[in-house]
Amino acid sequence: MSAMQVRPMRPEEIAIAIDWAGTEGWNPGLSDASCFATTDPDGFLIGEIEGEPVATISCVNYDPRFSFLGFYIVRSAWRGRGYGLQIWNAAIAHAGGRTIGLDGVVAQQSNYEKSGFVHAYANVRYGGTVAAASAPHADVIDLADVAQAAIEDSDATVFPAPRAAFLRAWVTAPGHIGRALLRDGALAAWGVIRPCRTGYKIGPLIADDRSAAECVLSALIDATGGGEIFLDVPAINADAVALATGLGLTPVFETARMYTAPIRPLRLDRVFGVTTFELG
């Protein structure tokens, strides 16, 4: 068996992992690469055999306690030879003693369990074609007009670690459109829609209740003129599921959110759209 060398990706090489994710049918966003390295550039690993990329993985360290794993891909021609385990072990070592989260595809969930990951809940991707309402949205504003601190405070209720740099990049990335709903001057809901290889993905979509989420979701759809959209929803949030199905969206993909250790309590009732399966 040829030896594989594992090393951190250079920033421009993150596009390799994203291209492979596209080939796997994960439908990445067009500006994802520029956002993903903002938190932990050393957390993106590539495995090479004689200079040829054969495997990728990411394990992004958000803070001293939490890391998130994604982009675990071995090219089909190189599978079954132990290269996946080699790059997996390198990623786990990068996380150190941190709790690790991931969104595991159905086929791999039993393998993740053998590695110490525990199923927390399912995330379901809903997709379909929707029309723009072209109606005014009272109290909905551009997300760029919301204080960064307010966005970070809201995100802290639904994500296990602070991620200020990532959020700044995500909100301002080329092609990303953000909208927010204010109630009595406070941030009640906010979300981002971004162009992907196919259609648009909406994420995050964070809201105090379904009504607020629906208002921002409608404004995001209107901002792009409608079309094919995808929304990743925690299955345990019944209001989020109802919002997706109420638009006529249907399940197209499923993952399991899994962790290696308990995390602090999160307000999953506020999550109407997951930011990204790759970075949480």
Side-chain angles (χ1 to χ4, degrees), residues 56-71:
T56 63
I57 199 168
S58 63
C59 200
V60 172
N61 294 337
Y62 278 103
D63 67 8
R65 297 177 301 277
F66 186 73
S67 184
F68 200 89
L69 189 146
F71 287 117

Side-chain angles (χ1 to χ4, degrees), residues 228-246:
E228 190 172 16
I229 67 165
F230 300 92
L231 184 66
D232 299 333
V233 173
I236 59 174
N237 184 343
D239 283 340
V241 172
L243 178 60
T245 57

